[in-house]
Amino acid sequence: MLSRVANSMYWMARYIERAENLSRYIEVTLNVILDQPDAADRQWKPLILATGDALDFYQRYNRPDAQQVIHFLTFDPDYSNSIKSCLTQARENARTIRETISSEAWEQINEFYHWLNGSQQQTMSLDQLSDFYQRARLHSHLFNGILDATMSHGEGWHFFNLGRLIERADQTSRILDVKYFSLLPKLDDVGTTIDDLQWSAVLRSVSGFEVYRKRYRAITVPRVVEFLILEREFPRAILFSLDGANRSLHAITGSPLGIFRNVPEQRLGQLLANLAYADVRQIISRGLHEFADELQVKLNEVDEAIFDEFFALRSSAPLPVQYQLSHQ
């Protein structure tokens, strides 16, 4: 497969996943505000902090209130990670590989793009905003579902799946960071009803509330953290996502699972093995923010290695076959 096509598949998936997760962040914040209207003012700043783009925000906006944060994260064409910008870049990637994806997938991403560009923040009430983000999430689900159902699951699809799942793992870590920053102003809230509401919101932000409650009745911090990071069967858990990404990476290269022949296989395998043997008590005692920060750095290293191995126009000498610390 041409590196240009592989690169476009990979980044089209990442941008769609990023746009969906931004919708999830904002939708959940809106729901938390409905439960805690007196705390509305302090619910928006954590979203900016979790994106890692606070400097970009404060260069062009006065304060992190509802209107400015929603515009920055959703409609701002000058912010490269806004939903609008992500969708524009995803559509551009799709346009360059129209011969690779199905016409149905192209039509769906076009519909998503035109619907978003026809929406105006200023005309929406709180309830309409909530509906808007639900619909954005639905558009993303439709695109992923159509592409999964209409594209051959060969090399191109595996690049798509690799990008989708690496982005998903990164975004789940950022959702945990949102909770960390939310707690900072009032540590006395830990273990209270307010704390339960916030952790419930975190679970809802990854569509995991019902699944979690079927497995565990009570909401406790260690169980929620373990569920979101180390769960092997929940599709938005970090370990599940990286395991799927690793399988797609090995399907692309042809290397058997459990060994590595190039840098991305080595880095992703090491990260996966560390998570597979991680203990939730150690993660919490060390600090969720520190864990999320370190994970995001390692995911960036995996992304850089994927670029060098598959997308950069230069050859790389294969590494000797070595065994990973497999989690399997």
Side-chain angles (χ1 to χ4, degrees):
M1 168 171 279
L2 294 174
S3 62
R4 174 187 65 81
V5 176
N7 193 15
S8 294
M9 290 295 294
Y10 178 81
W11 276 104
M12 177 179 67
R14 292 202 67 158
Y15 285 129
I16 289 287
E17 187 71 24
R18 192 172 299 174
E20 179 186 329
N21 277 279
L22 279 170
S23 299
R24 289 174 178 274
Y25 297 170
I26 301 170
E27 182 188 348
V28 167
T29 299
L30 292 169
N31 290 335
V32 169
I33 288 172
L34 288 175
D35 290 332
Q36 300 174 261
D38 56 326
D41 290 342
R42 64 184 173 94
Q43 295 297 332
W44 294 103
K45 187 176 179 180
L47 296 189
I48 300 301
L49 296 174
T51 62
D53 293 323
L55 181 61
D56 194 353
F57 176 83
Y58 286 110
Q59 283 176 340
R60 288 181 288 120
Y61 295 86
N62 297 325
R63 54 179 182 160
D65 60 17
Q67 184 174 8
Q68 297 196 23
V69 171
I70 286 174
H71 184 265
F72 177 67
L73 294 179
T74 308
F75 299 102
D76 191 341
D78 297 322
Y79 172 44
S80 61
N81 289 318
S82 70
I83 294 175
K84 183 185 180 76
S85 296
C86 286
L87 192 51
T88 300
Q89 294 170 90
R91 181 174 176 268
E92 181 58 23
N93 277 292
R95 188 188 64 76
T96 64
I97 52 170
R98 283 188 62 178
E99 74 284 358
T100 305
I101 63 175
S102 65
S103 57
E104 290 92 341
W106 168 246
E107 288 167 7
Q108 174 55 34
I109 200 169
N110 253 335
E111 186 178 335
F112 191 1
Y113 172 83
H114 289 299
W115 166 78
L116 183 76
N117 279 282
S119 303
Q120 295 293 328
Q121 174 188 356
Q122 289 77 7
T123 62
M124 287 189 257
S125 65
L126 199 64
D127 286 342
Q128 288 172 324
L129 277 170
S130 185
D131 291 342
F132 170 83
Y133 290 109
Q134 285 182 29
R135 190 168 173 189
R137 187 154 47 92
L138 181 61
H139 271 295
S140 173
H141 287 177
L142 282 171
F143 176 75
N144 282 316
I146 289 172
L147 195 130
D148 281 343
T150 59
M151 184 175 180
S152 171
H153 286 204
E155 196 175 28
W157 181 86
H158 281 294
F159 272 111
F160 178 83
N161 199 45
L162 178 64
R164 173 168 57 181
L165 293 178
I166 287 178
E167 183 69 30
R168 187 172 295 175
D170 180 82
Q171 295 298 331
T172 298
S173 75
R174 292 180 190 277
I175 286 171
L176 283 168
D177 238 9
V178 170
K179 172 57 181 168
Y180 166 82
F181 284 120
S182 297
L183 275 177
L184 278 181
K186 295 185 69 176
L187 289 175
D188 291 342
D189 288 343
V190 177
T192 65
T193 304
I194 293 174
D195 197 39
D196 286 349
L197 282 173
Q198 290 180 331
W199 281 112
S200 298
V202 170
L203 287 167
R204 286 193 173 92
S205 70
V206 294
S207 304
F209 182 73
E210 288 81 8
V211 178
Y212 174 90
R213 291 302 295 267
K214 285 177 182 174
R215 180 164 302 183
Y216 310 106
R217 291 189 60 185
I219 290 180
T220 66
V221 176
R223 283 178 175 171
V224 175
V225 172
E226 185 174 33
F227 181 76
L228 293 178
I229 297 175
L230 304 176
E231 172 61 44
R232 293 178 183 275
E233 298 178 355
F234 179 60
R236 291 193 170 271
I238 292 172
L239 181 59
F240 180 97
S241 298
L242 292 183
D243 183 53
N246 190 50
R247 291 176 186 279
S248 276
L249 178 60
H250 281 265
I252 291 166
T253 62
S255 303
L257 289 169
I259 68 171
F260 68 88
R261 291 195 173 100
N262 52 54
V263 178
E265 287 176 350
Q266 181 187 32
R267 289 183 177 171
L268 185 53
Q270 287 174 337
L271 177 55
L272 193 55
N274 289 337
L275 280 175
Y277 292 106
D279 186 299
V280 68
R281 291 166 299 185
Q282 293 174 340
I283 293 173
I284 292 173
S285 63
R286 187 176 163 207
L288 269 181
H289 176 60
E290 287 72 16
F291 168 83
D293 246 7
E294 185 177 326
L295 179 74
Q296 287 156 24
V297 169
K298 289 182 177 177
L299 288 173
N300 284 338
E301 292 174 353
V302 171
D303 178 66
E304 290 169 3
I306 289 171
F307 175 83
D308 289 340
E309 182 67 25
F310 300 110
F311 308 146
L313 297 177
R314 62 175 182 272
S315 61
S316 57
L319 294 177
V321 175
Q322 298 184 44
Y323 284 93
Q324 298 172 352
L325 292 174
S326 173
H327 67 288
Q328 300 171 5

